[in-house]
Amino acid sequence: MSFNIAVDGPAGAGKSTIAKKVAKNLGIIYVDTGAMYRAMSVFMIRQEMNPEDKEAIAKKCREADIEIVYENGEQIVKLNGENVNPFLRTEEVGKMASVISAIPEVREKLVELQKALAAKSDCIMDGRDIGTCVLPKAQVKVYLTASSMVRAKRRYDELVAKGQDCDLMQIKVDIEDRDYRDMHREHSPLKQAEDAVLVDSSDMTIEEVVEAIMNLAKERA
Ligand code: DC
């Protein structure tokens, strides 16, 4: 049986930064499931799908073949054979991903892919429903969170460092909207699994969070 670490939590809690470091330290793969929902979102945007038309999106998702490959330890998401990594990180794609990830047909398709990956490889996988739904038997489960103000400030600092003009309070409102959608959707909403360890990173450094997860992994290996 493979060794799996599940990390869930709201947008901007630092899941991917931390999961990548833990993966490197342990020599296991990092599976970014948000990137799969984002790839599906790229597909729907390109197909000019109306985000309100859930039925059409549910049907259309059958035409999107999503595949994960690793190149030099980096996860590459392929959409119908094309590497779509360069298109995943925009606000537009993030918003559409949050909408389409509420559709059961989209989730079924991607959860199947996620389960298959975790069954064949030792991995740390992050998302919203990993501990509750995708990997209910994961040896380690972490629910990583931070206050919305701290998460907004981290995002603001990232954008400012890239030279972008932005408004901290607007970022905070967008983060809270995204949290609300992810936590209140009918299918697989974001919530802490009963057996997950809660880590609030508001007052922790990245290294401290990595160490906390490494300790849990060592205990349970
Ligand atoms: O983590 P992220 O921002 O890249 O995720 C994009 C969207 O995908 C987010 O709004 C929630 C959704 N998502 C999900 O529903 N389930 C997952 N396991 C991962 C992401």
Side-chain angles (χ1 to χ4, degrees):
M1 200 183 147
S2 52
F3 183 74
N4 297 148
I5 304 177
V7 181
D8 291 298
K15 298 187 297 292
S16 66
T17 308
I18 282 149
K20 270 185 204 154
K21 287 183 185 274
V22 173
K24 200 163 179 214
N25 288 352
L26 294 176
I28 61 179
I29 59 170
Y30 162 53
V31 183
D32 172 0
T33 63
M36 300 179 194
Y37 289 93
R38 285 172 182 267
M40 187 62 90
S41 160
V42 167
F43 177 74
M44 296 301 169
I45 292 169
R46 286 180 178 175
Q47 298 287 319
E48 298 181 5
M49 301 300 288
N50 172 1
E52 304 293 319
D53 192 348
K54 314 274 184 264
E55 237 172 75
I57 292 177
K59 262 195 204 146
K60 198 76 187 171
C61 78
R62 294 186 207 137
E63 295 171 28
D65 180 33
I66 293 183
E67 195 194 347
I68 299 292
V69 294
Y70 287 86
E71 281 175 17
N72 304 319
E74 189 202 353
Q75 171 180 299
I76 309 278
V77 190
K78 291 198 165 174
L79 168 63
N80 294 333
E82 174 194 353
N83 173 358
V84 288
N85 277 28
F87 310 109
L88 303 181
R89 301 282 145 207
T90 66
E91 279 307 305
E92 184 195 12
V93 168
K95 268 193 188 149
M96 182 69 145
S98 174
V99 172
I100 60 153
S101 62
I103 300 172
E105 285 80 358
V106 169
R107 302 203 69 82
E108 263 163 42
K109 184 167 177 144
L110 297 182
V111 166
E112 194 184 319
L113 174 63
Q114 293 154 12
K115 285 187 179 201
L117 269 170
K120 72 168 196 256
S121 317
D122 292 344
C123 69
I124 177 163
M125 184 179 283
D126 77 356
R128 304 294 190 285
D129 59 339
I130 311 304
T132 51
C133 166
V134 181
L135 305 177
K137 299 210 171 100
Q139 289 85 346
V140 179
K141 292 185 189 179
V142 174
Y143 188 85
L144 182 63
T145 189
S147 71
S148 59
M149 192 62 214
V150 166
R151 289 183 284 133
K153 181 70 170 58
R154 287 176 187 162
R155 180 85 185 121
Y156 173 85
D157 290 343
E158 260 172 38
L159 293 172
V160 169
K162 284 187 197 157
Q164 292 183 26
D165 201 17
C166 52
D167 173 357
L168 177 61
M169 290 330 270
Q170 186 56 49
I171 295 176
K172 181 168 174 277
V173 168
D174 288 346
I175 281 186
E176 286 170 353
D177 280 353
R178 171 96 58 103
D179 287 356
Y180 188 87
R181 269 204 302 276
D182 291 346
M183 288 173 181
H184 291 87
R185 67 184 178 213
E186 190 182 345
H187 301 281
S188 309
L190 167 64
K191 68 168 188 242
Q192 185 181 344
E194 272 175 23
D195 50 351
V197 176
L198 174 69
V199 178
D200 184 333
S201 72
S202 302
D203 299 312
M204 290 170 87
T205 63
I206 290 172
E207 283 64 35
E208 284 169 340
V209 179
V210 169
E211 201 189 321
I213 299 180
M214 294 288 296
N215 288 339
L216 286 171
K218 279 180 203 145
E219 265 171 34
R220 316 242 170 120

